[in-house]
Amino acid sequence: MSAPAVEAERTDETSGPPRLAVAPLLRRLHFYAGVLVGPFLVIAAASGMLFALAPQVDDVLYGDVLVASPVGGAPRPLAEQVEAARAAVPDGTVTGVLVADDPEATTRVVLAEPGLPEEYSTTVYVNPYTARSQGQLTTWFGSTPATTWLDNLHSNLNLGVPGTLYSELAASWLWVLSLVGLVLWIGRRRTARRRVRALLVPESGAKGVRKTRSWHASIGVWALVGALFLSATGLTWSTYAGENFSAALTALDAKAPVLDTALPGAAGGTSGSGEHSEHGGGQEGTAPVDAAAFDRVLGTARGAGLDGPLELTVPAAAGTAWTAAQTDNTWPVRLDKVAVDADGSAVTARSDWADRPFLAKLSSLGIQAHMGVLFGAANQAVLFLLAAAILTVVVLGYRMWWQRRPTRADRRAPLGTAPKRGTWQRLPLWFVVPAPLVLILVGWAIPLLGLSLVAFLVLDGVIGFVRSRRRAGVG
């Protein structure tokens, strides 16, 4: 790009109708946040695209154990299927059984096995028509090894708890970048008559950085709602912001009720209500139970109105009940639970989806949609396209940075310069007065956003101070 073109771009930014007084500050914030957080967004979007395809990956890698073969006839009793799993894993203790409603799916018998890491189990996949094992996998909350790897890649880069900082930082800034970008793009529109079209459609005939910016902004507008959704739902179960969100739900009495698994006359016992509590997570081994009890619990749960796929969980300790929980996370969801007494013949408590507080429902549905399961294949396709849009916007942002570089022989530089420093000094009073309080509240609710913003301000101030001292020294 030639030097005259660069100068034309600068003239375009300052000409036309008056801009918002806060626009220069927002432009500087958008620039620096995009440059610094962009790599985290790229990783999150790329790994999210892969995770969206997890069901198809499972079908390819584990179809021989996930799909019952042959299919036909009446399913064998659960007792026979559990015994087949026990024979396949002699040193394991059965902790639960997942009964599918898909006639081609295998029954999943979950066993606690010595030597497995915490939260992991051995799952034996049993053909329900022959009561024979088709294979076994080490699973994490019911997820196959491939899905577990993709899940952890997206959430923590397979680095464990320290790695979660990357995804939380990306989610913390995604909504800020999206909204600030929208404000800046709206501020550039010349007339109200063409504003809507100009926001949504790239500028025809534009060249150079102007063309890149047009595509960057238009794609960003199309992806805006999805980006805000991913940011919000991602933060709800992040490490630090997620804790604040959970605390807020508790304060509002808006968390999902916990199923009471204490048997009448026995000391307490409850069933976990977390997102992973219904997916066959590992647990402490319990004393072996009569395999026939699984059939009684299944019959009791069906009689209580729990249709669809069910997870039956063995009592965790003496004096506690069995649990039978629906696990259908595809809309319309079926997520009712019942507690069943020790012999499997009577319901002692229940917790229905319909009785959950609105915010608890909204949080659960949001997480399922974020994971690509709420609306099935359509949900996966939307997530894939949304991740691709975010990737494109970030790449175009970096391209703009490169295109804005000075190209004159006496000013040549590899990258463009940042928006002008010191714009905060010209901010209007209505913005300056409430800004600190807003920043404190946002920083408390989303700690990584607050900390990284403070770090940016300190670094920017130090750089400005050093440069001013150098200029003073040169003068």
Side-chain angles (χ1 to χ4, degrees), residues 20 22-34 173-188 216-217 221 224 228 431 449:
L20 289 172
V22 298
L25 177 63
L26 295 181
R27 187 176 296 114
R28 187 170 176 83
L29 173 66
H30 190 72
F31 171 81
Y32 272 112
W173 276 100
L174 179 58
W175 68 275
V176 177
L177 287 166
S178 300
L179 292 179
V180 170
L182 177 65
V183 171
L184 293 175
W185 190 230
I186 291 175
R188 295 185 65 88
H216 170 85
V221 171
L224 176 66
L228 295 178
F431 184 87
L449 175 61

Side-chain angles (χ1 to χ4, degrees), residues 318-363:
T320 59
W322 290 74
T323 61
Q326 292 176 316
T327 60
D328 188 358
N329 288 303
T330 304
W331 185 262
V333 299
R334 290 176 288 182
L335 297 172
D336 296 343
K337 300 179 184 180
V338 295
V340 181
D341 63 10
D343 63 8
S345 61
V347 172
T348 61
R350 70 181 300 144
S351 174
D352 291 337
W353 168 260
D355 297 330
R356 295 190 189 187
F358 172 75
L359 288 178
K361 289 181 179 179
L362 190 63
S363 174

Side-chain angles (χ1 to χ4, degrees), residues 241-326:
E243 289 183 0
N244 291 333
F245 178 75
S246 180
L249 289 182
T250 300
L252 294 171
D253 195 22
K255 300 194 74 171
V258 176
L259 179 66
D260 183 6
T261 58
L263 293 174
T270 56
S271 177
S273 59
E275 288 302 318
H276 289 301
S277 64
E278 299 169 356
H279 300 284
Q283 65 183 63
E284 293 297 326
T286 56
V289 297
D290 179 11
F294 287 94
D295 290 293
R296 294 195 297 270
V297 173
L298 178 62
T300 299
R302 296 299 190 200
L306 272 63
D307 58 351
L310 285 183
E311 178 180 2
L312 311 179
T313 304
V314 174
T320 59
W322 290 74
T323 61
Q326 292 176 316

